[in-house]
């Protein structure tokens, strides 16, 4: 503005006309030069870094850096190309010489990799954090804090350089860093002030405040392709020229002052071409033109900003209603609306519409092992994969469920193929806090109009299908009418409670065969419940009900009492028989339950084995470890059940000193046919032995598998081939049967 005023005061209209014509000619020459074989220079930058550089709504690169670069390019006569993308990638491309000029903060580390122009701006950083958290005058008082900063950013490098006990949480973008603070995954985010403030105001991130004075002042300049040193002098001379003419100052006012960019986006281009058009048409009123341009710019700016305020507010309200805040994807409501529109459009068309839902079923495990915010992180990482499938209108439905809409489906097979392809492409390893997590996915699908006739029914049925797939471990299931919620389930749960209270549960014994002793040396106790009306109910169903409805400990207590009764019977018959009891995930976290187990099995501690799964250990590890240790001190054996299905983490294996490891029946089942299972079994056996544990294979169904496991060094075999679980009324009938078992 200042430079414009000066310019107006010192020109006459004749002179103006000549300058305008000159500018026009020069501009034409510069535009032609590159075509005639002039230099091409490629500008690179992060894909969304407003107000510095970003793609504007018209798809053109825009922002302060772009405006300065354009001026430099015009002055140097370059042809220009732009690539805005992933920040780490762009930095690599600059190092490789695939892009030539990338604006960034100057640091010693970066100076070793690239050339740098003279500074074009000075910027500082701010700490953003939740309201109420302590503020910091500098970065040296942040020890013990978790600070989010963008990967490869100046702020990240400077935090590392501080060499303090700061946990740096890598974010994919500045926005991501701020979101991590809102989700409690980081205490603070360290961001360039301009960027951080804009995200904060633009997205209305509630509860976030600026918690430091300006820190980390840094110069901002063009980093230059190390393979093109000749560009440095050209850039510097253009920058000097822009500084002398006041142009750099006015560009920084235009783009970097608060609210500068919103009103100036597009208007600078418009202004430039407006000048040229006027010069060609009349070549007269140059000074007048500037006057009108300034006035016009003001009015246009005011209108634009009022309009954009209204537009922004409407957009934000709509977004709040329709977008999931964790992932930024459409939410359930918007998804169902999409489905409804699609159903309406499909009437009279040939194709069908299908709703597919994918579930991330290791989300719970991640939350158990780490915490809820790590679970959120997993969901966000996964949603980054999902959002690339815009063709399928992806949405986040909460609780690890993602919705997809398939249109133009020819039949069930077609739907199945498409959904399976989707699941395959989404099954990728994702990194959560440095841990590589393999996503375990299940999918469910329902098709219109066969399965349901309305959008919400279609959605509900796809959800039933995915829940069934998750429970049964299937990768993909279509809705079937048998999946409809059973109104009798509530009744069944209440019946189960009554059966437990009435002592109506029973237990089957499944023999365990020792390879070295060549005889049955123990048995696993497996619960059985016969409903008076519906008959036997599978334990994997009702154990979950008891867990979900808070009465699993009643079952555990009954099981422990039954084990004590059995062991006393074995003792009275003068027989040694180990009894294995299954514990549930919550049992070991309860001190009172562990006290009761220790007290009620006192006489039989050394014959008792408690089977626990890895997930049981992962809740409150230290607490569980303390209770496991108490049981071990008493002489109770601890067995790791279902080995191979969880995380099979070496850390847990070493920390807990298991007496026994049970290879899950999933790997034992096809051992004779599937080489991978064979290898897994062998590795598990060797590992178990190295840790000093006995290795049990469960689910041994045939002679061939049994021999194979014996050859591999497995210590104990359990499965239908050895003996099916049987409810034992009288031990005197059971013992001769198991005594006869010989391999
Ligand atoms: P689990 O601990 O993995 O128990 C082994 C399951 O494999 C049993 O199923 C058993 O009948 C079955 N099985 C044994 N040999 C074979 C075989 O050769 N082939 C095949 N295909 N299956 C075999 P079951 O009895 O239905 O028990 C299912 C699950 O219920 C158990 O899995 C365990 O997690 C849970 N459970 C059973 N009893 C109790 C209990 O008293 N308390 C708790 N908390 N959970 C229990
Ligand atoms: Ca078991
Ligand atoms: Ca098992």
């Amino acid at each position: 503005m200042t430079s414009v005023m000066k310019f107006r005061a010192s020109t006459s209209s004749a002179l103006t006309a000549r300058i305008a014509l000159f500018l026009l000619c020069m501009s034409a020459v510069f535009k032609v030069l590159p075509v005639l074989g002039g230099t091409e220079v490629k500008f690179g930058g992060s894909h969304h870094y407003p107000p510095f550089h970003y793609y504007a709504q018209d798809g053109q690169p825009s922002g302060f850096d772009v405006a300065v670069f354009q001026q430099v390019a015009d002055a140097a006569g370059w042809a220009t190309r732009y690539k805005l993308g992933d920040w780490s990638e762009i930095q690599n491309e600059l190092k490789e010489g695939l892009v030539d000029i990338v604006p960034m903060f100057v640091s010693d580390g970066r100076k070793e990799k690239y050339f740098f122009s003279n500074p074009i701006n000075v910027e500082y950083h701010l700490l953003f954090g939740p309201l109420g958290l302590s503020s910091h005058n500098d970065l040296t008082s942040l020890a013990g804090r978790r600070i989010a900063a963008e990967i490869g950013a100046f702020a990240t490098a400077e935090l590392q350089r501080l060499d303090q006990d700061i946990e740096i949480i890598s974010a994919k973008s500045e926005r991501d860093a701020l979101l991590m603070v809102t989700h409690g995954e980081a205490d603070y985010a360290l961001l360039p002030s301009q960027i951080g403030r804009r995200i904060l105001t633009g997205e209305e991130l509630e509860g976030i405040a600026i918690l430091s004075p300006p820190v980390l002042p840094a110069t901002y300049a063009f980093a230059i392709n190390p393979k093109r040193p000749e560009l440095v002098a050209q850039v510097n001379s253009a920058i000097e020229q822009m500084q002398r003419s006041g142009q750099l100052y006015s560009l920084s006012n235009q783009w970097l002052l608060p609210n500068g960019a919103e009103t100036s986006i597009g208007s600078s281009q418009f202004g430039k071409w407006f000048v040229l058009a006027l010069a060609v048409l009349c070549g007269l009123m140059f000074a007048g033109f500037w006057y009108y341009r300034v006035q016009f710019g003001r009015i246009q700016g005011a209108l634009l900003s009022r309009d954009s305020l209204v537009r922004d507010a409407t957009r934000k309200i709509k977004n709040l209603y329709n977008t999931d805040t964790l992932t930024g994807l459409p939410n359930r409501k918007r998804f169902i609306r999409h489905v409804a529109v699609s159903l309406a459009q499909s009437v009279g068309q040939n194709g069908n519409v299908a709703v597919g839902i994918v579930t991330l079923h290791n989300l719970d495990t991640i939350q158990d092992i780490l915490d809820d915010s790590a679970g959120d992180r997993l969901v966000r990482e996964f949603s980054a994969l999902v959002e690339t499938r815009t063709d399928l209108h992806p949405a986040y439905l909460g609780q690890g469920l993602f919705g997809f809409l398939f249109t133009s489906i020819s039949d069930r097979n077609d739907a199945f193929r498409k959904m399976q392809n989707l699941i395959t492409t989404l099954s990728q390893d994702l990194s959560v806090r440095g841990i590589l997590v393999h996503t375990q996915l299940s999918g469910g699908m329902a098709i219109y109009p066969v399965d349901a006739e309305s959008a919400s029914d279609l959605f509900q049925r796809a959800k039933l299908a995915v829940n069934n797939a998750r429970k049964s471990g299937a990768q993909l299931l279509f809705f079937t009418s048998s999946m409809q919620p059973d109104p009798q389930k509530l009744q069944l749960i209440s019946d189960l409670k009554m059966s437990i209270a009435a002592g109506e549960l029973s237990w089957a014994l499944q023999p365990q065969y020792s390879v070295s002793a060549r005889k049955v040396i123990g048995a696993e106790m497996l619960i059985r419940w016969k409903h008076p009306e519906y008959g036997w109910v599978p334990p994997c169903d009702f154990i979950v009900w008891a867990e979900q409805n808070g009465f699993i400990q009643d079952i555990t207590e009954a099981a422990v009492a039954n084990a004590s009764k059995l062991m006393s019977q074995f003792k009275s018959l003068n027989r040694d028989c180990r009894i294995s009891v299954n514990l549930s995930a919550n049992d070991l976290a309860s001190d009172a339950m562990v006290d009761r187990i220790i007290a009620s099995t006192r006489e039989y501690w050394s014959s008792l084995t408690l089977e626990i799964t890895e997930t049981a250990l992962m809740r409150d590890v230290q607490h569980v470890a303390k209770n496991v240790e108490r049981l071990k001190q008493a002489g109770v054996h601890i067995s790791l059940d279902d080995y191979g299905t969880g995380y099979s983490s070496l850390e847990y294996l070493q920390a807990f000193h298991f007496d026994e490891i049970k290879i899950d029946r999933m790997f034992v089942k096809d051992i004779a046919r599937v080489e991978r299972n064979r290898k897994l079994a062998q590795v598990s056996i060797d590992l178990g032995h190295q840790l000093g544990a006995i290795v049990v294979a469960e689910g041994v169904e045939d002679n061939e598998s049994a021999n194979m496991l014996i050859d591999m060094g497995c210590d104990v075999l359990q499965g239908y081939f050895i003996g099916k679980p049987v409810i034992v009324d009288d031990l005197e009938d059971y013992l001769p049967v198991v005594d006869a078992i010989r391999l």
Side-chain angles (χ1 to χ4, degrees):
M1 190 64 183
T2 322
S3 60
V4 170
M5 297 299 280
K6 276 187 199 152
F7 190 73
R8 187 154 63 104
S10 63
T11 49
S12 71
S13 56
L15 178 62
T16 318
R18 263 183 255 145
I19 292 172
L21 267 174
F22 173 75
L23 282 176
L24 182 67
C25 294
M26 291 310 286
S27 137
V29 168
F30 285 151
K31 289 215 175 297
V32 169
L33 249 182
V35 180
L36 295 177
T39 314
E40 183 182 84
V41 176
K42 198 167 173 191
F43 176 100
S46 174
H47 74 280
H48 192 66
Y49 201 62
F52 294 100
H53 49 263
Y54 56 93
Y55 283 118
Q57 273 174 355
D58 60 1
Q60 295 302 312
S62 200
F64 170 71
D65 302 338
V66 172
V68 176
F69 174 72
Q70 270 167 359
Q71 295 295 336
V72 171
D74 281 353
W78 299 332
T80 53
R81 283 173 60 199
Y82 292 87
K83 182 173 179 195
L84 303 187
D86 176 80
W87 180 230
S88 303
E89 246 172 57
I90 293 289
Q91 290 185 78
N92 274 338
E93 290 196 8
L94 178 63
K95 216 163 76 192
E96 304 291 319
L98 301 173
V99 293
D100 302 306
I101 288 194
V102 178
M104 62 173 82
F105 290 109
V106 184
S107 71
D108 289 344
R110 287 173 172 176
K111 275 190 195 159
E112 283 170 18
K113 290 190 252 174
Y114 329 109
F115 294 118
F116 271 93
S117 72
N118 292 339
I120 54 171
N121 185 34
V122 177
E123 171 66 348
Y124 53 85
H125 289 65
L126 292 170
L127 269 183
F128 296 80
L131 279 167
L133 198 65
S134 53
S135 61
H136 293 262
N137 283 336
D138 58 44
L139 302 180
T140 55
S141 57
L142 288 172
R145 297 294 196 175
R146 299 165 304 155
I147 317 288
E150 193 198 16
I151 304 169
F154 178 79
T156 302
E158 291 300 301
L159 285 172
Q160 281 161 349
R161 246 165 44 105
L162 278 178
D163 197 22
Q164 286 197 0
D165 183 22
I166 294 176
E167 191 186 342
I168 304 171
I169 314 261
S170 299
K172 273 193 299 205
S173 65
E174 276 84 4
R175 181 176 175 273
D176 205 24
L178 269 184
L179 287 178
M180 283 173 152
V181 175
T182 60
H183 296 130
E185 291 167 43
D187 301 318
Y188 300 95
L190 181 62
L191 308 177
S193 62
Q194 290 267 359
I195 312 278
R197 281 173 190 276
R198 248 159 232 264
I199 302 169
L200 209 60
T201 45
E203 305 208 1
E204 288 184 349
L205 294 179
E206 274 175 27
I208 298 286
I210 293 170
L211 294 178
S212 75
V215 290
L216 280 190
T219 49
Y220 192 75
F222 288 127
I224 295 169
N225 177 354
K227 293 180 182 153
R228 295 185 71 179
E230 75 283 2
L231 297 180
V232 180
Q234 294 176 28
V235 176
N236 281 345
S237 123
I239 290 175
E240 275 165 33
Q241 172 59 34
M242 288 171 74
Q243 276 162 339
R244 271 201 305 273
S245 67
Q247 205 176 10
L248 192 60
Y249 174 68
S250 87
L251 281 179
S252 83
N253 278 355
Q254 190 181 352
W255 288 97
L256 304 182
L257 284 184
N259 301 325
E262 281 84 353
T263 49
S264 63
I265 292 172
S267 66
S268 62
Q269 288 282 338
F270 176 66
K272 185 171 150 195
W273 291 109
F274 201 11
V275 171
L276 291 175
L278 271 187
V280 171
L281 286 175
C282 50
L284 293 170
M285 302 290 289
F286 195 57
F289 160 73
W290 277 110
Y291 176 75
Y292 284 115
R293 180 185 177 274
V294 170
Q295 294 302 328
F296 176 70
R298 274 190 190 147
I299 295 163
Q300 188 195 30
L303 287 175
L304 271 179
S305 62
R306 204 196 58 188
D307 272 8
S308 68
L309 272 179
V310 174
R311 254 201 326 270
D312 262 16
T314 324
R315 183 176 49 80
K316 274 174 196 155
I317 290 166
K318 268 193 183 165
N319 273 350
L320 274 177
Y321 275 112
N322 295 322
T323 309
D324 168 69
T325 46
L326 176 63
T327 59
L329 287 173
N331 59 14
R332 188 177 60 93
K333 217 166 153 187
R334 183 155 161 207
F335 181 67
I336 295 180
R337 244 192 355 256
H338 257 127
V339 177
V341 171
S342 217
L343 296 192
Q345 285 169 345
S346 76
V347 174
Q349 308 271 325
N350 274 336
N352 290 317
V353 173
V355 166
I357 298 181
V358 169
T359 175
L360 255 177
H361 51 105
N362 39 350
L363 179 61
D364 289 349
T365 320
I366 286 291
Q367 281 166 340
D368 285 346
I369 306 170
L370 300 170
D371 50 38
D372 286 355
S373 73
D376 288 352
R377 184 88 203 135
L378 177 67
V379 169
R380 294 227 307 280
E381 290 291 331
F382 186 71
S383 77
L385 291 177
V386 163
E387 73 187 2
T388 58
R389 294 305 305 264
T390 45
D391 54 323
L392 300 177
H393 306 280
Y396 185 57
L397 316 167
Q399 295 168 332
L401 296 173
F402 291 81
F404 300 89
L405 174 62
F406 295 80
T407 49
S408 316
I409 295 288
S410 52
D411 54 23
R412 229 166 239 267
N413 284 343
D414 185 33
F416 188 85
R417 220 183 34 251
K418 286 180 173 151
M419 183 74 174
Q420 199 149 44
N421 281 345
L422 174 70
I423 293 177
T424 310
T425 51
L426 294 178
S427 300
Q428 293 188 22
D429 291 344
L430 297 173
S431 168
V432 175
R433 302 228 190 113
I435 300 172
L436 210 57
V437 177
H438 183 70
T439 49
Q440 293 172 357
L441 306 180
S442 285
M445 255 193 148
I447 300 184
Y448 169 83
V450 203
D451 296 328
E453 293 191 347
S454 75
S456 51
D457 282 357
L458 196 62
F459 172 79
Q460 280 307 334
R461 286 170 187 185
K463 215 168 139 195
L464 282 173
V466 74
N467 285 340
N468 272 272
R470 180 179 19 203
K471 272 194 242 153
S472 61
Q475 196 194 38
L476 174 56
L477 288 182
F478 276 101
F479 167 79
T480 60
S481 54
S482 66
M483 293 174 183
Q484 291 282 28
D486 186 352
Q488 289 165 330
K489 189 172 144 190
L490 275 180
Q491 182 60 48
L492 277 173
I493 292 173
S494 130
D495 294 347
L496 173 62
K497 272 188 181 166
M498 290 187 12
S499 291
I500 298 170
E504 288 168 7
L505 295 178
S506 47
W507 276 269
L509 289 181
Q510 184 172 35
Q512 296 182 322
Y513 181 86
S514 157
V515 175
S516 61
R518 304 196 64 235
K519 62 174 183 176
V520 170
I521 43 96
E524 178 175 3
M525 229 180 66
L526 294 158
I527 195 166
R528 297 290 177 259
W529 175 44
K530 191 174 185 179
H531 188 274
E533 208 176 321
Y534 306 108
W536 296 107
V537 184
C540 34
D541 283 353
F542 69 80
I543 289 287
V544 178
W545 302 340
E547 280 173 341
Q548 286 172 350
N549 292 279
F551 56 96
I552 186 68
Q553 299 210 342
D554 298 342
I555 290 187
T556 307
E557 272 191 39
V560 171
N562 190 64
S564 296
K565 193 180 88 191
L566 275 172
M567 288 188 289
S568 101
Q569 288 173 6
F570 277 115
K571 202 174 167 190
S572 62
L573 291 169
N574 234 350
R575 292 287 299 247
D576 273 342
C577 184
R578 299 202 61 81
I579 296 286
S580 294
V581 175
N582 288 283
L583 290 193
S584 184
N586 292 326
D587 293 331
L588 285 177
S590 157
D591 295 346
M593 174 53 86
V594 174
D595 287 343
R596 284 200 289 276
I597 297 175
I598 291 178
S600 65
T601 57
R602 181 173 300 274
E603 289 171 62
Y604 317 105
W605 287 336
S606 59
S607 301
L608 178 67
T609 299
L610 297 176
E611 297 194 3
I612 53 181
T613 58
E614 215 172 341
T615 36
L617 304 174
M618 286 166 179
R619 335 193 146 190
D620 195 355
V621 178
Q622 284 179 346
H623 195 163
V624 172
K626 210 180 77 209
N627 280 333
V628 166
E629 205 40 51
R630 285 169 62 206
L631 288 159
K632 283 188 61 108
Q633 289 290 327
V636 175
H637 280 194
I638 304 290
S639 169
L640 179 62
D641 202 358
D642 300 344
Y643 183 71
T645 56
Y647 276 77
S648 312
S649 140
L650 275 178
E651 211 182 315
Y652 285 105
L653 283 180
Q654 276 171 333
F656 281 96
H657 304 292
F658 295 104
D659 301 284
E660 180 182 291
I661 285 174
K662 287 188 90 170
I663 308 174
D664 190 72
R665 58 186 183 278
M666 202 166 91
F667 303 110
V668 174
K669 197 173 130 224
D670 288 320
I671 203 164
R673 285 168 293 282
V674 182
E675 199 197 346
R676 185 169 171 273
N677 287 4
R678 221 163 25 244
K679 283 187 178 158
L680 273 165
Q682 184 67 71
V683 171
S684 309
I685 292 168
D686 295 344
L687 184 70
H689 287 164
Q690 272 171 27
L691 295 168
I694 293 168
V695 180
V696 181
E698 67 176 19
V700 183
E701 292 188 353
D702 53 57
N703 193 15
E704 202 183 354
S705 308
N707 285 333
M708 222 166 233
L709 286 156
I710 292 171
D711 288 345
M712 287 176 178
C714 187
D715 305 294
V716 175
L717 307 180
Q718 178 186 344
Y720 295 166
F721 178 66
I722 306 294
K724 290 197 168 174
V726 281
I727 296 180
V728 179
D729 292 324
D730 190 344
L731 275 187
E732 300 211 24
D733 295 336
Y734 172 77
L735 289 172
V737 177
V738 293
D739 284 346
I741 299 172
R742 286 275 183 277
L743 294 189

